[in-house]
Amino acid sequence: TGAQQSATVANPASGASPDLLPHFQLEPEDVYIVKNKAVSLACRATPATQIYFKCNGEWVHQGDHVTQHSTDRSTGLPVMEVRIEVTRQQVEKIFGLEEYWCQCVAWSSSGTTKSQKAFVRIAYLRKNFEQEPTAREVSIEQGIVLPCRPPEGVPPAEVEWLRNEELVDPELDANVYVTPEHSLVLRQARLADTANYTCVAKNIVARRRSASAAITVYVNGGWSTWTQWSGCSTSCGRGWQKRSRTCTNPTPLNGGAFCEGQNVQKTACTTLCPVDGAWSEWSKWSECGAECTHWRSRECSEPAPRNGGQDCHGPELDTRNCTSELCTHAAPGTEDVALYVGLVAVAVCLVLLLLVGVLVYCRKKGGLDADVADSSILTAGFQPVSIKPSKADNPSLLTIQPDLSTTTMTYQGSLCPRQDGPAKLQLPNGHLLSPLGAGRHTLHHSSPAAEGADFVARLSTQSYFRSLPRGTNNMAYGTFNFLGGRLMIPNTGISLLIPPDAIPRGKIYEVYLTLHKQEEVRLPLAGCQTLLSPIVSCGPPGVLLTRPAILAMGHCVEASAENWSIRLKKQSCEGTWEDVLQLGTEPCTELYYCQLEAQACYVFTEQLGRFALVGESLSMAASKRLKLVLFAPAACPSLEYNIRVYCLSDTQDVLKEVIQLEKQLGGQLIGAPRVLHFKDSYHNLRLSIHDMPSSLWKSKLLASYQEIPFYHIWSGLQPFLHCTFTLERMSTSTCELACKIWVWQVEGDGQSFTVNFNIAKDTRFSDWLVPDEVGTPALVGPSAFKIPFLIRQKIISSLDPPGTRGADWRTLAQKLNLDSHLSFFASKASPTAMILNLWEARHFPNGNLSQLAAAVAEVGKQDSALFSEAEC
């Protein structure tokens, strides 16, 4: 009230204009209180007779004002300037209610004017960062993002980055920039970027430093080109020659991975030994000639020099005088006669030699097998079914010659035409996918294929293959060249597609595909990890592929990004399992890629080996598919009768094993299999039997239900989990079984089996069983693919280049619902080949070629070049 009383309007000063309202030359501005230092607010107005401050709606006491009067020289009007001080205690009184503000009010004889509001805030900067950068190891040229969220502060903190205690200036380095959220981004990691990075936050109160984050930029090693083959290790006889390469392209740095594979290759060689020539015995002396001399000769033929051996030294003709004997002079003309006789003899010899040569040549030509074909046949589309395997004592499965591309390979067999199906594929706009004529030719091997046991025995001599199963029921193998092919393990959903040109021309590989039982291979699982697929080996690991092969196998996961983290694991040659790919993220390597579908996954790999799909649940909603299958004895001579309920991972390979096991036990399927979604809820699986006619049957189970522990099922490492319900019939004449079996997860949904079965003769479900081993485990060359080779090449050459109006491989991927994998396809030399390879892996042998033809034709309609190709 005192301030209000003192603010009574006074008479204007002399010279003041009675018609002017005061206006402010200086208004109070926002300020921050640092620590306990008071801040000063000032305002100046003219013409003004009184000026007072009003803070948070209340007048500041007159005694707290410092007033200064002056006169404006240009107008002669009075000027008044007022200052006040605001302390931390004043601001803290209303802290939390509203912000502290102050405002000037100036009077003149004409009225009052208010200044702008000035806010007074207490400045601070907390100690702890909301987010600090973390240490990382990244590959060279990979992008790096170092997050930093500074501590809370008033005014908000400014952020700067230090690299090894030196300021990072984005204006001086185009590879670096700082985001509006204060994250440091390195567009492409360089070796020079290996350093300790610190985020620094500062305002007018303090300066805070985050913990330093060590960034290590590593370089994975790469092989140099092979050196030329060395000379043979021996100058005479059998030896070795080798070539080498070094892991220097580039050299691994900062912990980068060393190159995989061999740095030295050896191959056998044979050098012909040099043989020095030696003289034969001297012939007898000739008769004494007209000149009273005779001669004798010898030849360098025992042995003759060969393979670079030295020639004989010394004369081959020796003459001497024979005057000690009586010399008989020949009659005139004798020398001419002898000359003519010699010429005739030479001519006769030449004619005889020519006849002998012709006879030998004709005999050799007539003795050639008409069925012999060299490797040039392969370039015309012919394909060997099998090739004579290498000897078992060969220390290397792959025999690498210095230049196999020039080696002639002989296949014993005959060329047999194979008729295609009765119908040819017709396209609306041409014959782009039509077969290659009325028939194809396959080179059939006349000798029987190597026995599976021999193949496994050869592999088992290799250290890496000692863990392969000894039997061949779960193995497929074959011999492949650049035409590619396919391996399949029947009734398991497991196959390996080797696309055309994946094997370099001139190379021939023996390739195998194996399904492992879980007890054969140790796969360590940690935490909530679980095995989602079979464990499959394909190899040998040293095979050099120029394009990815596609490994197909089933899985039992109900995949969703929010519930699962799924990884593809590969076993190294040392036996350790490594994560090579995390599904749902951008792959860090171009060697592997995986497409996960509803019940199968397709793994693109340029390195063969042992693979498995492992998942880690991220929430209790994550679930696996279980296949529930019921078996019972096909014959029941006693009163006891057992029902076995299997809880299997829902993959074909496990079901196949159970069916084979039950066939050995004499079991038969009762009821159609069911699918149960087993959740990561830590609850066990319960099974119970109900609704049996008590007059005919009774259960010998003491408890009301049976349980299978959660972790036994969730790990996926125990494939044949089951419960047995032992029943007893009251009479041997009882053959009808009627009951209900419940299977459910505690506090979850379940499945019920209504069983109505004749235990003596019912075979209603026998047709459902997976049949015995059917199909061809190995298909080589064109017979392994639905798309004819030349038509495939046409599609690739048409769709790989960018097309007008987007009519290229991207459009084909969209039409085949593969557009979510465009980035992977684009990383390959031929994206169209990757799409067609995946189509072959997904649709063989029952794929609808007409649908693919229609998709290609639709793409062709958008591009005149492709359309004209289709019309041809």
Side-chain angles (χ1 to χ4, degrees), residues 94-114:
I94 64 166
F95 182 77
L97 300 177
E98 58 183 16
E99 288 191 295
Y100 192 93
W101 59 268
C102 293
Q103 185 180 39
C104 278
V105 181
W107 281 266
S108 71
S109 59
S110 299
T112 62
T113 304
K114 295 181 180 180

Side-chain angles (χ1 to χ4, degrees), residues 253-387:
L253 294 174
N254 297 335
F258 196 77
C259 304
E260 294 186 5
Q262 299 176 337
N263 64 337
V264 176
Q265 288 182 341
K266 289 185 177 181
T267 186
C269 60
T270 302
T271 305
L272 297 177
C273 298
V275 178
D276 294 337
W279 292 113
S280 64
E281 294 292 332
W282 287 102
S283 66
K284 293 182 179 181
W285 289 100
S286 66
E287 296 293 332
C288 194
E291 292 82 9
C292 295
T293 61
H294 61 172
W295 53 270
R296 64 178 180 176
S297 64
R298 59 180 177 176
E299 296 179 351
C300 189
S301 59
E302 294 186 3
R306 61 179 181 271
N307 303 331
Q310 293 184 356
D311 206 351
C312 301
H313 297 286
E316 60 180 353
L317 186 66
D318 183 21
T319 61
R320 70 179 182 182
N321 192 298
C322 55
T323 54
S324 59
E325 302 176 0
L326 294 178
C327 294
T328 58
H329 297 277
T334 303
E335 295 177 354
D336 295 336
V337 173
L339 176 62
Y340 295 144
V341 171
L343 291 175
V344 171
V346 170
V348 170
C349 291
L350 290 175
V351 171
L352 291 177
L353 288 175
L354 180 61
L355 290 175
V356 170
V358 170
L359 289 175
V360 171
Y361 173 79
C362 293
R363 184 170 183 177
K364 286 185 177 180
K365 184 176 181 182
L368 288 178
D369 186 355
D371 294 334
V372 174
D374 65 17
S375 59
S376 63
I377 292 178
L378 301 178
T379 62
F382 298 112
Q383 172 61 30
V385 170
S386 62
I387 296 176

Side-chain angles (χ1 to χ4, degrees), residues 20-49:
L20 294 178
L21 287 173
H23 71 275
F24 287 95
Q25 296 177 339
L26 175 66
E27 297 186 73
E29 296 180 350
D30 296 346
V31 291
Y32 294 95
I33 296 177
V34 180
K35 297 182 179 179
N36 293 320
K37 296 180 180 179
V39 295
S40 176
L41 297 177
C43 63
R44 183 171 63 248
T46 182
T49 57

Side-chain angles (χ1 to χ4, degrees), residues 240-251:
W240 295 93
Q241 59 183 152
K242 65 180 181 179
R243 63 177 182 177
S244 61
R245 57 181 179 176
T246 57
C247 191
T248 56
N249 187 29
T251 303

Side-chain angles (χ1 to χ4, degrees), residues 306-617:
R306 61 179 181 271
N307 303 331
Q310 293 184 356
D311 206 351
C312 301
H313 297 286
E316 60 180 353
L317 186 66
D318 183 21
T319 61
R320 70 179 182 182
N321 192 298
C322 55
T323 54
S324 59
E325 302 176 0
L326 294 178
C327 294
T328 58
H329 297 277
T334 303
E335 295 177 354
D336 295 336
V337 173
L339 176 62
Y340 295 144
V341 171
L343 291 175
V344 171
V346 170
V348 170
C349 291
L350 290 175
V351 171
L352 291 177
L353 288 175
L354 180 61
L355 290 175
V356 170
V358 170
L359 289 175
V360 171
Y361 173 79
C362 293
R363 184 170 183 177
K364 286 185 177 180
K365 184 176 181 182
L368 288 178
D369 186 355
D371 294 334
V372 174
D374 65 17
S375 59
S376 63
I377 292 178
L378 301 178
T379 62
F382 298 112
Q383 172 61 30
V385 170
S386 62
I387 296 176
K388 184 177 179 181
S390 59
K391 296 182 180 179
D393 59 354
N394 191 348
S396 176
L397 184 63
L398 301 178
T399 303
I400 304 176
Q401 298 295 337
D403 188 5
L404 284 180
S405 62
T406 61
T407 303
T408 300
M409 299 179 182
T410 302
Y411 297 86
Q412 297 295 336
S414 59
L415 295 177
C416 305
R418 188 190 75 243
Q419 297 300 326
D420 287 335
K424 289 187 177 181
L425 175 65
Q426 299 295 331
L427 282 183
N429 294 322
H431 304 281
L432 189 59
L433 289 182
S434 299
L436 299 176
R440 302 179 193 156
H441 292 84
T442 302
L443 188 61
H444 295 282
H445 203 290
S446 61
S447 61
E451 294 294 334
D454 295 339
F455 184 83
V456 175
R458 289 201 308 277
L459 294 181
S460 62
T461 61
Q462 309 296 323
S463 60
Y464 182 76
F465 307 127
R466 288 174 185 168
S467 60
L468 289 178
R470 293 294 181 258
T472 58
N473 290 335
N474 289 326
M475 173 181 281
Y477 53 90
T479 305
F480 299 91
N481 58 16
F482 74 94
L483 290 176
R486 183 188 307 267
L487 290 175
M488 295 175 289
I489 303 178
N491 307 328
T492 63
I494 298 171
S495 65
L496 178 68
L497 178 75
I498 304 175
D501 291 326
I503 296 176
R505 292 178 182 253
K507 301 289 186 181
I508 297 178
Y509 293 145
E510 275 187 328
V511 182
Y512 66 85
L513 177 66
T514 301
L515 167 64
H516 294 275
K517 296 179 180 179
Q518 278 84 347
E519 60 268 21
E520 296 173 345
V521 179
R522 174 176 171 78
L523 174 60
L525 298 177
C528 299
Q529 289 183 344
T530 174
L531 182 63
L532 301 176
S533 73
I535 301 175
V536 180
S537 289
C538 54
V543 165
L544 174 65
L545 297 179
T546 58
R547 296 185 179 182
I550 302 179
L551 175 65
M553 55 186 178
H555 67 81
C556 60
V557 63
E558 291 296 314
S560 60
E562 63 273 12
N563 294 332
W564 283 100
S565 172
I566 302 175
R567 290 177 169 83
L568 178 67
K569 285 184 174 286
K570 182 175 183 287
Q571 191 176 30
S572 66
C573 294
E574 291 77 18
T576 58
W577 286 88
E578 302 170 347
D579 293 339
V580 296
L581 181 66
Q582 181 173 357
L583 275 64
T585 62
E586 286 295 327
C588 58
T589 174
E590 294 185 357
L591 294 178
Y592 308 99
Y593 188 78
C594 183
Q595 177 181 339
L596 192 68
E597 297 190 352
Q599 293 187 331
C601 64
Y602 299 91
V603 179
F604 292 77
T605 175
E606 296 183 19
Q607 293 183 353
L608 303 185
R610 185 167 298 158
F611 297 92
L613 206 63
V614 172
E616 183 172 0
S617 62

